[in-house]
Amino acid sequence: MILGLWEIILVSLITIIGIALGILVYSKNPKKKANKFFTFFTFSLLIWITSAFLSEVPKNLSFSLFLSRLTYLGVLLSATFLFYFSYYFPKEKILKKKIIFVINGIVIIFSFINLFSNLVIKEIAPTLWGFNLIFGKVYWLYIGFCFIVAFSALINFLKSFREVSHIEKLQLSYLFLGLVIFIGTSIIVNVIIRAIVGSDIYYRIGNYSGVFLITLLGTAIIRYHLFEIRVILTELLVGLMGIILLILPFLMPSINLKLLTFFIFVLFLIFARYLLKATHEEERRREEAEKLAIRERTLRKETEKLKEKAERLAKEREKLADKASVLAIREGALRESAEKLAKEWQRLAKAKDQFIVSIQHHLRTPLTSIRGYLDILLGGVFGEIKNKEIKKRLENMKKSSEILYRLIEILIDVTTLRTGKKILKLEEIDPQKLIED
């Protein structure tokens, strides 16, 4: 296929901007994972676009086949590094080591299959407009994995959009818009239209849609300080201008022009110093403002949480107050019931004591008669008892009556103690001593 001048300019522009963007972001903070994965994603994207572009140049089909496989390697790496980048920008999230191990293993396997076998791209067939790619058995599995990983990255960006500040939301908006245009166009042109038309005649349109991603990322960087590389761009521009002005005096034909250009160079250094100082100061103030905004937002969230907690505690306190009033009512009812039970118990105790007293009278009176008659019979008042069996039985009755009498006496003593009265204790005394006392 004959490449137009506009395509050469467009791909060159995308490549230059992408390389510069990746280097600047990485040089800002090489240790930061978000910067690393953004650079890897940018270079993988450039491999995708430039390999697809260069595959149209050579007339050697085997070399075009290699460049096409390199293009699909760029697709795989772009999707993978975009997925990792989504976990570290704008705020770092936790990514399990098992997931990293599985994804890296799949990427390595697919990379070898793509580059060194015909399972992804089987062969290349020449056509009137260039060539068509004939895909192998693993092609759709390969593309499916790339689509799943890229879609997961978009979901991660959407989740982050709800949790970040206003500036970070604007940064994500530009990034997300560029990704949606690029990925959507690539899927529509490179996958869907190719499946419908049956040729690769339009596939470069999807690749060139990367210019939207590069442009929107550049806008986010310049306008919203994405990755905070505005200072680096200023320093690079000042350094470039300084080098040019430093070289000019040596290129001037006359001594006056050399002195003039050298004087301009000195003035430039003075103004450049103030420019860089102002840029650094502005960057420092912006960082402080962002920190204050983050702190304010954090304090606002904590205040809202404390307010919600206070409201929740107030509701719980009201519930506890209601429960306390209910318990107080129940306590009053239980106290009244306890007083009623106490009075009822006292009444029953008094009735029991009265019952015991009356029982004592009814028991002692007949028992006294029985004891008296047994004493008379055993004393021989009505004659001697000659039958030994009858006498033995009467003696047993006498013992039983004595036991029963003692039990009644014990019962009387217990009743007397319960009523608080003293027990009359009978014992032998000396009358003479009593009189003397």
Side-chain angles (χ1 to χ4, degrees):
M1 181 182 291
I2 299 174
L3 300 174
L5 180 61
W6 68 272
E7 289 186 84
I8 298 173
I9 296 173
L10 181 60
V11 173
S12 301
L13 183 63
I14 293 174
T15 304
I16 293 171
I17 294 175
I19 292 174
L21 195 61
I23 293 174
L24 286 173
V25 170
Y26 183 78
S27 62
K28 173 61 181 178
N29 192 348
K31 296 182 179 179
K32 194 173 182 180
K33 292 182 179 179
N35 295 41
K36 288 182 180 179
F37 285 115
F38 177 81
T39 303
F40 296 155
F41 166 71
T42 304
F43 288 165
S44 300
L45 188 65
L46 294 178
I47 292 173
W48 176 356
I49 296 172
T50 54
S51 297
F53 172 77
L54 293 174
S55 65
E56 301 287 345
V57 177
K59 296 181 180 180
N60 188 344
L61 291 180
S62 60
F63 190 58
S64 295
L65 178 61
F66 170 75
L67 290 173
S68 298
R69 287 175 176 171
L70 196 62
T71 301
Y72 278 88
L73 177 64
V75 174
L76 177 63
L77 295 178
S78 297
T80 305
F81 288 128
L82 179 65
F83 174 77
Y84 287 140
F85 175 66
S86 67
Y87 271 93
Y88 297 102
F89 179 81
K91 293 183 179 180
E92 187 170 341
K93 308 176 190 66
I94 298 174
L95 182 59
K96 295 181 179 179
K97 292 183 179 179
K98 292 181 179 179
I99 298 176
I100 297 174
F101 180 78
V102 171
I103 291 177
N104 289 344
I106 294 174
V107 170
I108 292 172
I109 292 171
F110 274 151
S111 299
F112 275 97
I113 291 174
N114 174 45
L115 292 175
F116 304 107
S117 72
N118 58 358
L119 294 176
V120 178
I121 301 176
K122 188 174 182 181
E123 58 183 340
I124 189 168
T127 60
L128 295 176
W129 55 83
F131 60 83
N132 269 348
L133 296 177
I134 300 174
F135 300 108
K137 297 179 181 179
V138 189
Y139 171 75
W140 287 109
L141 186 63
Y142 186 95
I143 293 298
F145 174 77
C146 296
F147 174 77
I148 292 172
V149 173
F151 186 72
S152 301
L154 294 179
I155 292 175
N156 287 336
F157 285 128
L158 282 176
K159 289 180 180 178
S160 300
F161 190 81
R162 304 174 183 175
E163 304 170 356
V164 296
S165 63
H166 177 67
I167 297 296
E168 290 171 337
K169 284 184 178 180
L170 292 174
Q171 294 171 350
L172 279 176
S173 299
Y174 280 88
L175 175 63
F176 186 74
L177 181 60
L179 289 172
V180 168
I181 294 173
F182 178 65
I183 296 174
T185 306
S186 299
I187 291 173
I188 293 172
V189 177
N190 296 2
V191 180
I192 298 175
I193 293 180
R194 182 194 175 280
I196 295 173
V197 177
S199 69
D200 298 324
I201 190 172
Y202 300 110
Y203 82 98
R204 287 183 297 175
I205 297 175
N207 298 338
Y208 298 153
S209 63
V211 69
F212 294 104
L213 177 58
I214 299 296
T215 303
L216 290 170
L217 279 176
T219 304
I221 289 170
I222 296 170
R223 186 172 181 181
Y224 299 112
H225 314 286
L226 185 61
F227 297 108
E228 302 174 355
I229 63 174
R230 187 179 182 184
V231 175
I232 295 178
L233 291 173
T234 305
E235 291 173 349
L236 287 176
L237 180 61
V238 170
L240 182 62
M241 292 296 297
I243 292 171
I244 294 172
L245 291 175
L246 180 62
I247 295 173
L248 280 179
F250 298 97
L251 301 178
M252 293 295 105
S254 63
I255 187 66
N256 292 331
L257 291 176
K258 288 181 179 181
L259 291 174
L260 178 62
T261 52
F262 183 76
F263 179 72
I264 293 173
F265 172 71
V266 173
L267 288 178
F268 172 78
L269 290 179
I270 296 172
F271 286 110
R273 178 179 179 275
Y274 286 104
L275 175 63
L276 292 176
K277 185 178 179 180
T279 304
H280 283 284
E281 184 68 21
E282 181 186 357
E283 184 69 17
R284 186 183 63 80
R285 289 179 180 177
R286 183 188 64 80
E287 290 177 356
E288 290 178 356
E290 288 182 357
K291 289 179 181 179
L292 290 174
I294 293 171
R295 186 177 179 184
E296 181 185 0
R297 185 168 62 253
T298 304
L299 291 174
R300 189 184 301 113
K301 289 181 179 179
E302 291 178 356
T303 303
E304 291 176 356
K305 289 181 180 179
L306 291 174
K307 185 178 180 181
E308 292 176 357
K309 188 176 182 180
E311 292 176 353
R312 186 170 63 254
L313 290 175
K315 291 180 180 179
E316 291 178 357
R317 184 175 59 188
E318 291 177 358
K319 291 180 180 179
L320 291 175
D322 294 338
K323 290 181 179 179
S325 61
V326 172
L327 291 175
I329 294 171
R330 291 181 179 177
E331 182 184 1
L334 289 174
R335 191 181 294 110
E336 292 178 359
S337 300
E339 291 176 355
K340 290 180 181 179
L341 289 174
K343 291 179 181 179
E344 185 67 17
W345 180 83
Q346 292 175 357
R347 187 183 66 79
L348 291 174
K350 187 176 181 182
K352 182 188 70 174
D353 293 339
Q354 291 176 354
F355 172 74
I356 291 173
V357 172
S358 63
I359 287 297
Q360 292 171 3
H361 173 71
H362 292 293
L363 289 176
R364 290 180 69 181
T365 300
L367 186 59
T368 302
S369 300
I370 293 171
R371 289 176 65 208
Y373 282 114
L374 287 173
D375 288 338
I376 291 171
L377 290 173
L378 292 172
V381 176
F382 296 106
E384 185 180 356
I385 303 172
K386 296 180 178 181
N387 194 325
K388 294 181 179 180
E389 185 68 24
I390 294 174
K391 187 176 181 179
K392 184 178 180 181
R393 296 293 175 87
L394 289 173
E395 288 176 352
N396 291 335
M397 290 176 64
K398 172 70 174 175
K399 291 179 181 178
S400 298
S401 64
E402 291 295 334
I403 293 171
L404 183 60
Y405 187 80
R406 284 197 297 272
L407 290 174
I408 293 173
E409 290 296 323
I410 291 172
L411 184 61
I412 291 172
D413 291 342
V414 172
T415 306
T416 304
L417 287 171
R418 288 179 58 82
T419 55
K421 297 179 181 179
K422 294 183 179 180
I423 301 173
L424 181 62
K425 185 177 181 181
L426 300 177
E427 60 181 9
E428 294 181 358
I429 62 171
D430 185 3
Q432 184 177 356
K433 185 179 180 181
L434 180 62
I435 292 171
E436 290 176 355
D437 293 336

